[in-house]
């Protein structure tokens, strides 16, 4: 909490943060979180994209309830609704009141319920990978930036080595190798194992950007007066890192996290598309789009529904990440 003379811009922000109650003349108390929330509330793009993200997350959390109400499972096949060529009967890929987004050609599985399950899978992988990479990056970046010396050199060397590795090539090699290490060629790999492998691969490569960002912020903060005062009072390493430095790093960490989630969503879809991520037994946007390529002319609705959904999801995350970055930046002009 800080106290400072009021200028018109600050006064307007304080009014927005307090619901319109005008502060007393001369001075106003405000926190960085209140100012950031006030900026975010004035950003229509941020509010709309945030509302879309809330909707997607709620759908992902309510998958069991949606499946129960819908009455159809992701693996159920409706071969009777297909013609002799394996194409869905009716218009727009078999869209009816029973099958809202139609049926998959050849297999006859319901597209809507598979998309709902695929949304939950994508969000779980993306959030788990983002949390893991953020935790690793924050710890390594904070320790390296504060202690410096040989530890900082080692962390920088490992970071440069990780950045030099080609992610796609290593992912193509590691994913099937790990699966074969634990399961035979004829055994079905469980979905939980595939998801765990993807999260581990993302964590192996994704921590570097957060570590570098946090390290640079810590180097800028470690010579500040409040850090020197805490060090002079005999504060230990844990207190310095997690009570003095880390509370001042939450803004860039949140922005980095919000931009990492859509990157992992597209990465999971891309790996599943080329056949090294999730298999066809597990609902996934990447697998659905891959299977739809053979039916672009005969059944364009099959690629439209999963394609537009993953586009809207990633686009909303990117827009909200930009809005969050502007809101957390005290020098933002928006």
């Amino acid at each position: 909490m800080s106290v400072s003379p009021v200028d018109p811009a600050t006064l307007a922000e304080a009014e927005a943060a307090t619901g319109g109650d005008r502060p007393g003349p001369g001075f106003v108390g405000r926190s960085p979180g209140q100012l950031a929330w006030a900026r975010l509330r004035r950003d229509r793009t941020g509010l709309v994209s945030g509302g879309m993200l809330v909707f997607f997350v709620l759908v992902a959390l309510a998958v069991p309830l949606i499946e129960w109400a819908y009455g159809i499972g992701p693996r159920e096949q409706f071969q009777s609704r297909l013609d002799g060529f394996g194409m869905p009967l009716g218009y727009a890929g078999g869209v009816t009141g029973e099958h809202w987004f139609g049926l998959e050609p050849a297999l006859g599985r319901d597209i809507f319920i598979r998309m709902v399950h695929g949304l939950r899978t994508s969000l779980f992988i993306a959030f788990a990978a983002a949390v893991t990479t953020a935790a690793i990056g924050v710890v390594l970046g904070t320790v390296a930036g504060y202690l410096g010396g040989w530890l900082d050199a080692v962390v920088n060397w490992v970071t440069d080595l990780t950045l030099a590795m080609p992610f796609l090539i290593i992912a193509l090699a590691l994913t099937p190798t790990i699966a074969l290490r634990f399961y035979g060629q004829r055994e079905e790999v469980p979905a939980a194992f595939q998801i765990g492998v993807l999260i581990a691969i993302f964590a192996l490569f994704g921590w570097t950007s957060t570590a570098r960002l946090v390290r640079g912020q810590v180097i800028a903060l470690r010579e500040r007066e409040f850090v020197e005062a805490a060090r002079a009072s005999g504060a230990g390493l844990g207190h310095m890192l997690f009570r003095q430095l880390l509370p001042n790093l939450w803004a860039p960490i949140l922005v980095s996290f919000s931009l990492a989630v859509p990157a992992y969503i597209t990465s999971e879809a891309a790996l599943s598309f080329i056949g090294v991520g999730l298999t066809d037994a597990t609902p996934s946007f990447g697998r659905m789009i891959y299977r739809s390529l053979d039916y672009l002319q005969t059944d364009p609705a099959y690629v439209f529904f999963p394609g537009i959904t993953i586009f809207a999801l990633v686009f909303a995350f990117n827009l909200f990440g930009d809005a969050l970055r502007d809101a957390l930046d005290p020098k933002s002009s928006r």
Side-chain angles (χ1 to χ4, degrees):
M1 182 73 69
S2 61
V3 177
S4 61
V6 177
D7 56 36
T10 300
L11 189 59
E13 290 180 351
E15 288 185 25
T18 56
D21 296 332
R22 192 178 184 86
F27 296 92
V28 61
R30 65 199 186 277
S31 68
Q34 289 176 326
L35 294 178
W37 173 240
R39 295 190 191 99
L40 188 61
R41 287 197 306 174
R42 294 198 304 269
D43 191 334
R44 295 182 180 179
T45 302
L47 291 179
V48 173
S49 59
M52 293 175 60
L53 294 181
V54 170
F55 169 75
F56 283 125
V57 171
L58 290 178
V59 170
L61 293 175
V63 166
L65 180 61
I66 293 175
E67 183 177 343
W68 171 80
Y70 195 60
I72 298 175
R75 297 190 178 185
E76 292 185 48
Q77 300 184 11
F78 299 86
Q79 297 288 340
S80 61
R81 303 292 180 88
L82 307 179
D83 61 18
F85 299 97
M87 301 302 299
L89 298 172
Y91 297 99
V95 174
T96 62
E98 184 181 359
H99 305 287
W100 295 352
F101 290 172
L103 300 173
E104 289 183 336
L107 295 178
R109 295 179 299 193
D110 187 89
I111 294 177
F112 170 78
I113 198 64
R114 290 188 66 82
M115 282 180 50
V116 171
H117 280 266
L119 176 65
R120 180 178 65 175
T121 302
S122 295
L123 287 178
F124 176 78
I125 293 175
F127 274 106
V131 169
T132 304
T133 55
I136 297 174
V138 167
V139 171
L140 292 180
T142 304
V143 172
Y146 180 73
L147 296 180
W150 65 269
L151 183 60
D152 186 28
V154 170
V155 172
N156 278 330
W157 182 82
V158 174
T159 302
D160 294 335
L161 179 64
T162 305
L163 290 173
M165 296 180 180
F167 166 75
L168 183 59
I169 295 177
I170 294 181
L172 287 171
L174 276 182
T175 306
T177 302
I178 295 175
L180 289 175
R181 174 65 179 81
F182 292 92
Y183 300 91
Q185 294 184 351
R186 299 182 179 181
E187 294 182 75
E188 181 179 357
V189 182
F193 182 84
Q194 298 171 0
I195 293 173
V197 170
L198 286 178
I199 294 173
I201 291 177
F202 291 153
L204 178 64
F205 289 91
W207 60 270
T208 53
S209 59
T210 303
R212 281 195 163 182
L213 174 66
V214 171
R215 174 183 174 272
Q217 296 289 328
V218 170
I219 290 176
L221 290 173
R222 68 183 182 185
E223 304 300 331
R224 297 281 293 273
E225 291 80 0
F226 71 93
V227 177
E228 293 289 348
R231 188 184 298 116
S233 65
L237 178 61
H239 178 88
M240 295 298 301
L241 296 180
F242 299 106
R243 299 295 298 274
Q244 298 295 329
L245 293 174
L246 193 58
N248 294 279
L249 302 174
W250 64 272
I253 293 172
L254 280 179
V255 174
S256 177
F257 179 88
S258 67
L259 296 177
V261 172
Y264 292 134
I265 291 175
T266 54
S267 296
E268 180 273 321
L271 291 177
S272 299
F273 180 87
I274 60 180
V276 297
L278 301 176
T279 60
D280 193 62
T282 304
S284 167
F285 287 118
R287 294 306 301 170
M288 294 183 70
I289 295 175
Y290 172 78
R291 282 182 47 82
S292 68
L293 295 181
D294 295 332
Y295 307 97
L296 286 178
Q297 294 183 347
T298 56
D299 189 7
Y302 186 19
V303 68
F304 173 79
F305 288 117
I308 196 65
T309 302
I310 192 173
F311 168 78
L313 178 62
V314 174
F315 190 51
F317 263 113
N318 286 328
L319 289 179
F320 186 76
D322 291 338
L324 184 63
R325 178 182 56 195
D326 293 337
L328 293 173
D329 182 7
K331 299 179 182 179
S332 175
S333 59
R334 297 181 59 178

